[in-house]
């Protein structure tokens, strides 16, 4: 994913908030230590983040916030590629963001779809997080010359499906010990989670539970059968990957941080009780419809990639002598007219 043109607007808004705290991307030594400490905190702790600490606030908006916005931008593009029926009205017309933090999802949506209005409500215990997000959103709206009223945030105290059709969980599901029963009352649930094995497999269990409550899975899987990674393995987990570009304003910061700055990974899940999905094309001996959920593995005389289209654990494979040479990557939608034969777990391309 190339950095969108609007990303510099995001970083300019963040720089403005950092300046108010006496910090800047231009001299990042004051930020680097705090970012490393926050990263260590996220690794060792599960639960609420320390938003009452000014250093944590600055560290979060300088690094973690834009990285999660990059993830959301890629996820929103994945959903757009699905060509769901009236995506914005049916899925994003009214949302409730549970554990919203600095309203990360809303910021990403405003950047990708600045012309789209949204009835947006947030549930967040930490007032400083919401305040920072709203300040950033106001700056972005000003830069885009858009009416700030279209970016208004309604603050909810309770998770009530009567007030929104879609529940957003942005890095908040992993902070819960018990899934609230109220979650299952929404028409749609959209989740973004870390890509670590433990949290991603918890998401697979969440999916299984949702299906038992009459939700359909729309993404990343195109079926609502049992998850093959959960059914046939105790170690596999599902995650996506995107390529990013750090804008010039923030490059000095990453010279002093041991972080990967070209790729980001994440796990996600879209569930719905409504009929908002396009009809899947009929599968024939030539049509492959599903999603690649791994990276290409090279073996003697062939290469293969894990492919998800049902509860079966399958791989698309190509012999070196094969005329087919697909280049889809981890997380890509596969809807290809490729002739194949079944060889055990492999869909062997001809």
């Amino acid at each position: 994913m190339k950095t969108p043109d609007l990303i510099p607007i995001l970083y300019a808004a963040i720089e403005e908030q950092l300046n108010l705290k006496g910090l800047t991307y231009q001299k990042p030594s004051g930020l680097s230590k705090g970012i490393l400490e926050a990263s260590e905190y996220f690794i060792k702790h599960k639960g609420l983040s320390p938003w009452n600490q000014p250093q944590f606030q600055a560290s979060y908006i300088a690094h973690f916030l834009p990285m999660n916005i990059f993830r959301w931008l890629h996820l929103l593009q994945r959903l757009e590629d699905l060509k769901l029926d009236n995506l914005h009205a049916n899925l994003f017309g009214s949302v409730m963001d549970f554990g919203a933090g600095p309203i990360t999802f809303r910021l990403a949506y405003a950047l990708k779809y600045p012309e789209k209005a949204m009835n947006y409500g947030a549930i967040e215990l930490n007032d400083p997080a919401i305040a920072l997000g709203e300040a950033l959103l106001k700056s972005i709206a000003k830069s885009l010359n858009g009416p700030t009223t279209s970016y208004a945030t309604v603050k909810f105290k309770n998770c009530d499906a009567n007030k929104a059709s879609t529940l957003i969980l942005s890095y908040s599901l992993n902070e819960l010990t018990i899934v609230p029963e109220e979650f299952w009352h929404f028409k749609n649930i959209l989740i973004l989670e870390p890509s670590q094995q433990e949290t991603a497999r918890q998401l697979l269990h969440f999916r299984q539970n949702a299906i038992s409550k009459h939700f359909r899975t729309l993404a990343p899987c195109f079926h609502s059968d049992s998850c093959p990674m959960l059914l046939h393995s105790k170690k596999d987990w599902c995650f996506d990957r995107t390529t990013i570009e750090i804008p010039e304003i923030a490059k000095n910061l990453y010279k002093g941080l041991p972080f990967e700055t070209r790729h980001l990974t994440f796990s996600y899940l879209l569930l719905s009780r409504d009929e908002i999905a396009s009809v899947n094309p009929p599968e024939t001996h030539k049509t492959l419809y599903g999603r690649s959920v791994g990276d290409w593995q090279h073996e003697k005389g062939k290469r293969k990639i894990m492919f998800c289209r049902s509860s079966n654990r399958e791989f698309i494979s190509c012999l070196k002598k094969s005329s087919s040479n697909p280049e889809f990557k981890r997380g890509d939608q596969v809807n290809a007219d490729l002739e194949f034969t079944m060889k055990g777990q492999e869909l062997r391309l001809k």
Side-chain angles (χ1 to χ4, degrees):
M1 180 184 72
K2 295 294 183 181
T3 306
D5 292 338
L6 294 174
I7 287 299
I9 292 176
L10 167 66
Y11 276 86
I14 294 173
E15 174 73 0
E16 181 181 330
Q17 293 302 309
L18 291 176
N19 292 168
L20 293 175
K21 299 178 182 297
L23 297 166
T24 176
Y25 278 124
Q26 307 308 316
K27 296 181 180 179
S29 58
L31 290 169
S32 299
K33 180 181 177 181
I35 290 172
L36 290 173
E37 290 176 353
S39 181
E40 187 72 13
Y41 178 89
F42 288 136
I43 292 171
K44 291 184 176 180
H45 297 80
K46 183 175 182 179
L48 299 177
S49 301
W51 279 103
N52 60 316
Q53 300 175 13
Q55 184 182 45
F56 178 85
Q57 295 173 22
S59 302
Y60 194 94
I61 66 170
H63 167 67
F64 300 97
L65 174 66
M67 293 302 108
N68 286 340
I69 286 176
F70 276 122
R71 291 179 171 98
W72 268 115
L73 289 172
H74 187 69
L75 172 49
L76 289 170
Q77 185 59 51
R78 289 291 196 203
L79 300 185
E80 190 175 307
D81 292 343
L82 292 178
K83 303 189 184 307
L84 300 176
D85 298 333
N86 206 355
L87 172 69
H88 296 282
N90 288 333
L91 191 58
F92 298 126
S94 63
V95 307
M96 182 175 290
D97 195 347
F98 181 89
I103 58 174
T104 309
F105 163 76
R106 187 65 186 97
L107 291 167
Y109 193 86
L111 285 164
K112 187 167 180 61
Y113 306 110
E115 77 288 355
K116 297 289 185 182
M118 172 188 288
N119 293 321
Y120 175 78
I123 296 178
E124 174 56 51
L125 296 176
N126 297 287
D127 290 338
I130 288 281
L132 276 170
E134 289 181 325
L136 291 168
L137 195 56
K138 186 176 181 179
S139 294
I140 290 171
K142 183 178 179 180
S143 297
L144 296 174
N145 296 317
T148 55
T149 52
S150 67
Y151 296 104
T153 299
V154 177
K155 298 174 186 176
F156 291 124
K157 292 183 178 180
N158 301 310
C159 194
D160 186 352
N162 292 318
K163 297 178 180 178
S165 60
T166 298
L167 176 67
I168 302 291
L169 300 171
S170 182
Y171 274 56
S172 56
L173 183 62
N174 64 304
E175 295 183 349
L176 299 174
T177 54
I178 298 175
V179 176
E181 188 64 28
E182 292 81 2
F183 283 11
W184 308 118
H185 299 163
F186 286 83
K187 292 181 180 179
N188 313 299
I189 304 176
L190 178 59
I191 307 172
L192 177 71
E193 280 286 281
S195 58
Q196 287 89 350
Q197 182 186 45
E198 181 182 357
T199 52
R201 283 189 67 84
Q202 287 175 353
L203 194 58
L204 301 184
H205 285 285
F206 185 93
R207 173 189 182 274
Q208 180 176 274
N209 195 12
I211 292 171
S212 73
K213 296 179 183 297
H214 309 293
F215 281 85
R216 298 172 58 213
T217 308
L218 302 185
C221 30
F222 299 148
H223 65 87
S224 294
D225 298 336
S226 297
C227 173
M229 292 189 177
L230 198 59
L231 187 62
H232 302 292
S233 172
K234 294 183 179 180
K235 296 182 179 180
D236 286 343
W237 72 100
C238 187
F239 66 94
D240 206 335
R241 181 187 294 115
T242 184
T243 301
I244 64 170
E245 294 177 9
I246 302 297
E248 199 65 37
I249 190 175
K251 284 185 176 178
N252 282 340
L253 173 64
Y254 292 96
K255 291 178 180 178
L257 292 173
F259 297 155
E260 226 267 67
T261 57
R262 285 189 53 80
H263 301 94
L264 289 173
T265 59
F266 58 94
S267 297
Y268 71 99
L269 183 63
L270 173 59
L271 302 157
S272 180
R273 291 192 284 113
D274 280 359
E275 297 293 328
I276 63 173
S278 301
V279 178
N280 296 350
E283 191 163 288
T284 69
H285 70 290
K286 285 188 176 183
T287 302
L288 288 175
Y289 185 81
R291 194 180 295 277
S292 56
V293 290
D295 297 312
W296 285 100
Q297 304 172 33
H298 293 271
E299 299 178 355
K300 186 176 181 180
K302 68 178 181 181
R303 62 186 185 123
K304 66 180 184 180
I305 189 169
M306 189 178 290
F307 178 63
C308 183
R309 60 174 180 167
S310 69
S311 60
N312 296 323
R313 192 170 189 268
E314 296 179 320
F315 297 82
I316 294 176
S317 66
C318 306
L319 299 178
K320 286 187 175 180
K321 61 182 180 180
S322 172
S323 58
S324 300
N325 189 33
E327 293 299 330
F328 40 79
K329 304 179 291 297
R330 175 184 289 273
D332 283 355
Q333 178 179 346
V334 178
N335 185 8
D337 188 20
L338 295 168
E339 193 167 358
F340 63 91
T341 56
M342 296 297 302
K343 299 287 185 180
Q345 292 183 321
E346 295 182 16
L347 288 72
R348 181 75 54 79
L349 301 184
K350 294 185 177 180

